[in-house]
Amino acid sequence: MKTSSLNFISFYKYTFLFIVTLFFNACSTKPNQESKVDSSVIITKTKKEIITRNSTEKSVGMFLEDILACVSFDGLVKKYGEANVKKEVMIETGEGQFKVTKLFPDTEKEVEIYWKDGKEYQQIQDVIVRVRFTKDEKTDLSSPWSSKDGIHLGMPLSEIVQLNGKTFTITGFGWDLGGSVVSWEGGKLANKNINLRFNDFSDNNGGLTDAEFTAISGQLEFDVLHASIKKLNPLVDQVSVFIKPEISKDLGQKMVKEVEAKQVKK
């Protein structure tokens, strides 16, 4: 368990730091961390009503990377049609307001698009699809978008561990950046330019006691092998694909050291 260094930035800005960390530590691994999903653990969860990809008719071949490939606003319009692209939308999070472009706004296909600083509408930096909540308070994870590796909203953490081929690190739950991937720890997803956030949508903390859930909550960082996180097996509620930012090696190493300095050693 490690103290989090991410309490001062939004998920979008945090993703930048995540990218930097990956760039300079992509080959690093934790010894004895190869992970096999424990399929023998069966948890019965009391679930709020959730709309998933399995329960809705969905399009196929809708990849977030194809949005990145559009490069510019004009490219988005050319590929998806002017009526389906809203150029400027202000969104508000617990970390402040951000100006984004939305693709298929206010539909189950909605995607948020962030632009490279100084190159608004010329260079896409980040593409995010996230959980939606319907007017009748249902949790909607039915977005048809996925990464080309097959990662989409609603996937349980155990499946992501299998795709990564080993354990990885996430932030504690219950705050704005809770459940976000901190590092893929040199796994198969480390060089895929993808980041995820996980959440639990049950009514009973996934069967955890209050003490167990509190222990994996807050501005801390955890290996997903943590017994309570494995038991919770949270779902992907946000997928981000991005282009690596242009940074100098010295700046990147400085940022990584700042993160490491705030982490409590195991």
Side-chain angles (χ1 to χ4, degrees):
M1 183 174 66
K2 299 168 278 188
T3 55
S4 175
S5 54
L6 307 174
N7 57 319
F8 59 98
I9 43 181
S10 67
F11 179 84
Y12 173 58
K13 292 181 180 179
Y14 157 56
T15 298
F16 177 85
L17 185 57
F18 167 84
I19 297 167
V20 173
T21 305
L22 285 184
F23 185 77
F24 288 97
N25 295 284
C27 296
S28 66
T29 61
K30 291 182 177 179
N32 301 320
Q33 290 291 315
E34 288 297 326
S35 173
K36 294 183 180 179
V37 178
D38 184 0
S39 59
S40 64
V41 178
I42 301 175
I43 304 298
T44 301
K45 295 184 178 181
T46 302
K47 288 286 187 182
K48 299 176 183 178
E49 189 164 0
I50 299 176
I51 305 171
T52 66
R53 288 178 62 141
N54 293 329
S55 61
T56 60
E57 185 175 349
K58 60 181 181 296
S59 303
V60 294
M62 297 182 68
F63 300 121
L64 294 169
E65 291 90 344
D66 290 342
I67 302 176
L68 278 180
C70 290
V71 180
S72 66
F73 180 79
D74 288 342
L76 291 171
V77 170
K78 182 177 180 179
K79 183 172 180 64
Y80 297 105
E82 186 174 3
N84 296 315
V85 185
K86 193 168 184 178
K87 188 171 186 178
E88 185 174 316
V89 180
M90 294 301 297
I91 63 169
E92 188 162 352
T93 72
E95 299 295 324
Q97 288 188 330
F98 300 91
K99 183 170 65 175
V100 303
T101 293
K102 284 193 175 184
L103 184 62
F104 301 109
D106 302 317
T107 73
E108 69 170 21
K109 297 191 292 183
E110 180 176 283
V111 175
E112 295 172 9
I113 298 164
Y114 294 79
W115 300 96
K116 183 176 180 179
D117 289 344
K119 291 190 176 182
E120 286 79 7
Y121 312 119
Q122 299 175 48
Q123 177 63 65
I124 298 173
Q125 182 69 56
D126 197 0
V127 176
I128 296 178
V129 59
R130 67 178 84 233
V131 61
R132 299 174 64 247
F133 298 97
T134 65
K135 292 181 179 179
D136 53 357
E137 299 184 350
K138 294 178 183 177
T139 299
D140 188 352
L141 295 169
S142 66
S143 172
W145 294 99
S146 68
S147 74
K148 290 188 175 181
D149 292 298
I151 297 174
H152 58 81
L153 298 184
M155 293 181 72
L157 183 144
S158 57
E159 291 186 13
I160 304 300
V161 173
Q162 287 182 321
L163 286 173
N164 194 46
K166 63 178 303 183
T167 185
F168 52 91
T169 304
I170 64 173
T171 58
F173 297 96
W175 61 298
D176 289 338
L177 304 180
S180 299
V181 174
V182 176
S183 172
W184 292 115
E185 304 297 352
K188 295 177 182 178
L189 298 177
N191 294 312
K192 296 292 187 177
N193 293 356
I194 187 168
N195 196 17
L196 307 177
R197 187 181 69 190
F198 297 87
N199 212 332
D200 172 62
F201 295 101
S202 68
D203 288 320
N204 64 345
N205 292 337
L208 299 179
T209 65
D210 288 343
E212 287 174 326
F213 191 80
T214 298
I216 56 171
S217 299
Q219 298 177 26
L220 306 167
E221 296 170 8
F222 299 89
D223 191 299
V224 296
L225 285 180
H226 189 291
S228 293
I229 294 177
K230 288 179 67 178
K231 183 178 179 181
L232 187 68
N233 202 19
L235 305 178
V236 173
D237 80 341
Q238 185 164 295
V239 181
S240 165
V241 298
F242 52 82
I243 294 176
K244 289 181 180 178
E246 297 174 359
I247 56 172
S248 68
K249 184 176 180 179
D250 288 343
L251 175 59
Q253 290 177 337
K254 178 181 178 181
M255 294 175 71
V256 171
K257 287 180 180 178
E258 288 176 353
V259 171
E260 292 175 343
K262 296 178 182 180
Q263 294 177 337
V264 175
K265 303 299 182 182
K266 286 190 175 182

